[in-house]
Amino acid sequence: MELSPLYHNTRPEGELLPQEEAAFALLEELGMDYDRVSGEPADTMEKCAAVSEVLGVPICKNLFLCNRQKTQFYLLLMGPDKPFHTKDLSHQIGSARLSFAPEENLWELLRCTPGSATVLGLMNDRSHRVRLLMEREVYEAEYLSCHPCICTSSLKLKTADVLRRLLPHTGHEATVVEL
């Protein structure tokens, strides 16, 4: 997989998609530093491993989930090598059995396409229909990685900035879970 060099606080060149433009604008508005690498879509964990090497931080899995009735939505940030067992997570958060949410809900609520779900997408969830779940190791790590609402770039952010700047700005809170 071919990747760009590592850039600090620098957007990709050229025209950006509206959701990507909004993600970078938000980072700038909140004064959040970031490192960025770009390339072909990093839409699988195998491709993300190459990105992780350049960023110097493990790439998070970002799973967009819902309950069976599709009335409750969750964004789960977890380590790349953690197994995901819906039964265990459902029990922890007091939800009916979870499954992957439909593409249309991912777009409607977070303005992301499959493979690009991200904590930055919470800026689009103004009605607070998505609950953020963070696996403990991701929550406690110094840095986390995510896409800027499109999987052709990946970012390295300080976890403290996400928790203390981004989430208060969007009105979301993180629920820490054990996986």
Side-chain angles (χ1 to χ4, degrees):
M1 178 171 170
E2 259 187 67
L3 295 170
S4 73
L6 189 65
Y7 293 99
H8 182 70
N9 290 345
T10 305
R11 296 172 179 222
E13 292 182 4
E15 190 172 335
L16 304 180
L17 293 174
Q19 68 270 29
E20 184 180 18
E21 170 66 37
F24 284 108
L26 179 62
L27 292 172
E28 291 162 4
E29 176 187 336
L30 297 177
M32 291 176 59
D33 286 339
Y34 62 90
D35 289 333
R36 176 189 57 83
V37 65
S38 296
E40 64 185 75
D43 52 5
T44 67
M45 289 313 294
E46 293 76 26
K47 291 178 182 177
C48 287
V51 172
S52 177
E53 201 170 302
V54 176
L55 284 178
V57 62
I59 297 293
C60 289
K61 280 186 200 174
N62 295 270
L63 306 180
F64 189 60
L65 308 167
C66 66
N67 63 356
R68 187 172 308 205
Q69 299 80 13
K70 297 179 180 73
T71 56
Q72 297 175 312
F73 297 91
Y74 305 90
L75 178 63
L76 171 63
L77 280 58
M78 60 186 285
D81 301 321
K82 289 280 183 169
F84 173 61
H85 303 289
T86 59
K87 183 180 176 184
D88 296 340
L89 182 59
S90 297
H91 179 74
Q92 281 185 64
I93 62 172
S95 174
R97 192 160 183 100
L98 299 171
S99 62
F100 290 99
E103 263 181 59
E104 56 270 13
N105 293 119
L106 176 60
W107 180 255
E108 172 194 350
L109 297 171
L110 299 181
R111 290 289 184 248
C112 296
T113 56
S116 64
T118 174
V119 68
L120 292 171
L122 292 174
M123 69 181 165
N124 299 307
D125 179 34
R126 291 184 179 89
S127 59
H128 301 100
R129 292 183 55 203
V130 179
R131 182 175 169 192
L132 176 63
L133 309 174
M134 293 179 75
E135 183 261 323
R136 181 167 302 283
E137 287 181 28
V138 172
Y139 181 83
E140 293 177 349
E142 183 176 3
Y143 295 97
L144 67 77
S145 61
C146 65
H147 297 305
C149 297
I150 188 75
C151 62
T152 53
S153 289
S154 298
L155 307 175
K156 175 181 174 180
L157 304 172
K158 289 182 182 176
T159 306
D161 285 347
V162 170
L163 298 173
R164 295 187 190 120
R165 293 182 188 189
L166 177 69
L167 296 183
H169 177 81
T170 67
H172 292 81
E173 293 181 5
T175 299
V176 180
V177 295
E178 305 286 344
L179 300 178

